[in-house]
Amino acid sequence: MARPPARRMLIRGARVWPADGHLAAEEALADLPRRDVRLAAGQIAGCAPRLRPERGEEVMEAAGGVLLPGLHDHHVHLRALAAAAASVAVGPPQARTAADLAARLHAADAELPPGGWLRAVGYHESVAGELDRQVLDRLLPRRPVRVQHRTGALWVVNSLAAERLGLDQCELGGVERDDAGRPTGRLWRMDRWLADRVPGLTADLGAVSRKAASLGITGFTDATPSVTERDLAFLAGAEMAQRLCCMVPPGVHPPPGIGAGPVKIMLDDSTLPPLDELGGRIGDAHAAGRPAAVHCVTRVQLVLTLAALDQAGRLPGDRIEHGAVIGADSLPDLRGLTVVTQPHFITERGEQYAADVPPDDLPDLWRLRSIIDAGVDVAAGSDAPFGNEDPWDVMRAAVRRPAPFRAGEAVSPARALALFLGEPAAPGRRRLVAPGRPADLTLLRAGPLEVLDSLASDLVAATFIGGELGYARG
């Protein structure tokens, strides 16, 4: 989206943090001096005590509030997040039983016009067991229904939807079939195929952008796999204020205004590629001058990925997405990579993890502090809509790990906040509030100690993106 000419503004009396590339010790934060910060031409033009306003310059009083680099969500799925707002949530905490599932689907059905598709998201087997077309037929036989699993890997459709999609004639490997060869209604990793065949929901990315600005978010890295130039054109034309970086395949070129991130490589345990094939895919990304970002949520996926990276060679910027299960013996091999993790999943999914995750994996589930202590760069992404989109909730989860998960993996509030302060192209390298840097800033209406004590989104007073005011409280 074309940006208007950047305004000139002076933010007066802010406690700038971090300004020198290092996180101050938390006990020293109360003594951070106040600075005035000048914004001009989309950049930080000055940062010093007692700057005098210039002619025509707007002035905002920070009153000792913290001024940060704007938060960057390093792993999100923007179109899915926008679509989730027009979908019915059918997993925990909104639905916990089969009766809850039925009630929510029937309520959504009553609100839709006849014949329209019903889209449900967030399902987990703890609600009503495994879904297939027969289960959904018993709930809603006369409306096409599609239900997405909480992981995002699986869609389940009922028989009417299967008929409209022509599943009986579809020969793609993602279409699960029963012993008789009939589609079960379960579709694995077929988001793109579905999107091309199902009437789309209105994806209000403007609403996503406005909410994100109110949370202090100034940038996104979209991690949607198999992005096309048509998808990128849609994002470029949306009313989004945030800076965008997208994981795009080699040969796909983002339009002006969208950065090319690493190449996303998806892995599933049931379809793991041979080592040489995965190494070749990583090598193809590197040959195009792009790092690789490999989706790793199980122990075997991580071990395979590390071996493939050793085979292909490592490129600065190579990333492990999620790193849900990391054994202690793998920590040294992660050095030189960046792990982009989701510490809030322990809080959001802890009940299901405690019941479903093998006991041998529980100690290695969603490590955080031990990765940092091993000298590995770490950043965070919400993975929204598959996780909470609020980065402040992610930070609090990183600080306050619930029982029975290893409390020793928690980090300090300052380190949790830093998970969202990295450069988009190098998430482990912290951005600064300093002259010459982009004027992408988050102003909080509290001092450092109060901010770190609460890590609450309601402390966001203003968000600047390219020097423009994207959000102001009140």
Side-chain angles (χ1 to χ4, degrees):
M1 183 178 70
R3 298 182 185 277
R7 70 176 70 192
R8 293 181 61 85
M9 176 171 281
L10 185 66
I11 303 172
R12 214 157 45 177
R15 297 192 189 274
V16 175
W17 182 78
D20 61 359
H22 300 284
L23 295 176
E26 293 189 26
E27 60 270 17
L29 290 176
D31 298 325
L32 280 179
R34 298 192 185 201
R35 295 283 186 267
D36 298 340
V37 178
R38 171 165 285 125
L39 312 183
Q43 292 189 319
I44 298 171
C47 180
R50 295 181 294 279
L51 294 176
R52 298 183 63 179
E54 299 177 350
R55 181 184 297 273
E57 193 170 58
E58 299 176 62
V59 176
M60 177 178 284
E61 298 291 347
V66 173
L67 186 66
L68 299 164
L71 306 183
H72 189 95
D73 188 332
H74 294 283
H75 186 116
V76 67
H77 304 273
L78 289 171
R79 291 191 71 169
L81 177 57
S87 306
V88 55
V90 292
Q94 293 88 353
R96 295 189 177 277
T97 66
D100 292 342
L101 171 65
R104 294 186 70 80
L105 289 178
H106 289 152
D109 176 53
E111 295 293 324
L112 291 174
W117 282 74
L118 190 154
R119 187 183 195 271
V121 296
Y123 184 77
H124 184 264
E125 291 81 5
S126 61
V127 175
E130 287 196 353
L131 295 183
D132 60 18
R133 67 192 293 172
Q134 295 178 346
V135 174
L136 293 180
D137 286 349
R138 290 193 290 270
L139 293 169
L140 286 179
R142 289 181 291 277
R143 176 182 298 282
V145 178
R146 56 172 170 151
V147 178
Q148 189 179 42
H149 192 269
R150 182 178 68 182
T151 62
L154 171 69
W155 284 96
V156 186
V157 300
N158 65 354
S159 291
L160 182 55
E163 180 182 340
R164 291 194 181 182
L165 292 169
L167 289 190
D168 283 330
Q169 292 76 42
C170 180
E171 298 182 358
L172 294 176
V175 178
E176 184 181 283
R177 297 180 181 275
D178 60 22
D179 292 341
R182 185 170 183 257
T184 65
R186 294 162 61 85
L187 309 176
W188 294 94
R189 298 288 183 201
M190 294 184 67
D191 296 68
R192 166 62 51 195
W193 187 86
L194 272 174
D196 290 341
R197 287 161 179 79
V198 177
L201 297 173
T202 301
D204 188 355
L205 288 170
V208 170
S209 176
R210 291 188 293 274
K211 182 173 182 180
S214 75
L215 297 172
I217 297 172
T218 62
F220 291 111
T221 295
D222 189 284
T224 304
S226 304
V227 170
T228 66
E229 292 186 355
R230 184 181 66 179
D231 297 327
L232 295 171
F234 176 80
L235 290 175
E239 292 295 318
M240 295 202 70
Q242 283 76 13
R243 298 185 190 271
L244 299 182
C245 178
C246 292
M247 297 185 185
V248 295
V252 174
H253 304 289
I258 296 181
V263 174
K264 178 77 173 285
I265 298 176
M266 293 295 303
L267 295 179
D268 290 300
D269 280 3
S270 61
T271 57
L272 284 178
L275 174 61
D276 288 349
E277 179 182 329
L278 180 56
R281 291 170 65 186
I282 294 172
D284 290 343
H286 292 174
R290 306 266 302 288
V294 187
H295 167 103
C296 292
V297 296
T298 67
R299 192 182 305 273
V300 67
Q301 290 171 16
L302 179 65
V303 171
L304 176 64
T305 296
L306 292 174
L309 284 163
D310 288 341
Q311 181 185 88
R314 299 187 178 193
L315 190 71
D318 283 339
R319 297 167 42 153
I320 301 296
E321 302 301 309
H322 310 302
V325 180
I326 298 177
D329 56 343
S330 293
L331 290 172
D333 296 326
L334 292 170
R335 294 191 187 110
L337 305 173
T338 299
V339 176
V340 178
T341 187
Q342 288 74 45
H344 54 314
F345 282 1
I346 282 285
T347 300
E348 296 176 12
R349 306 179 180 184
E351 184 178 337
Q352 286 79 41
Y353 285 153
D356 299 343
V357 172
D360 289 346
D361 283 345
L362 282 174
D364 298 326
L365 191 63
W366 294 109
R367 288 179 179 269
L368 185 54
R369 179 159 185 176
S370 59
I371 306 176
I372 296 169
D373 289 347
V376 179
D377 286 340
V378 181
S382 67
D383 200 23
F386 310 112
N388 190 335
E389 68 202 275
D390 186 338
W392 302 92
D393 280 351
V394 181
M395 297 177 211
R396 288 195 300 274
V399 173
R400 307 163 190 168
R401 282 175 69 102
F405 305 100
R406 292 172 57 176
E409 291 296 333
V411 297
S412 71
R415 192 63 191 78
L417 182 53
L419 295 171
F420 290 93
L421 301 184
E423 298 277 1
R429 187 171 67 230
R430 201 159 298 122
R431 287 170 290 126
L432 306 177
V433 180
R437 301 286 180 135
D440 298 341
L441 302 166
T442 300
L443 177 64
L444 306 177
R445 58 184 184 90
L449 297 183
E450 183 181 346
V451 167
L452 296 179
D453 181 61
S454 65
L455 292 175
S457 60
D458 63 4
L459 294 181
V460 176
T463 302
F464 296 88
I465 305 172
E468 286 298 304
L469 191 61
Y471 168 79
R473 182 180 176 85

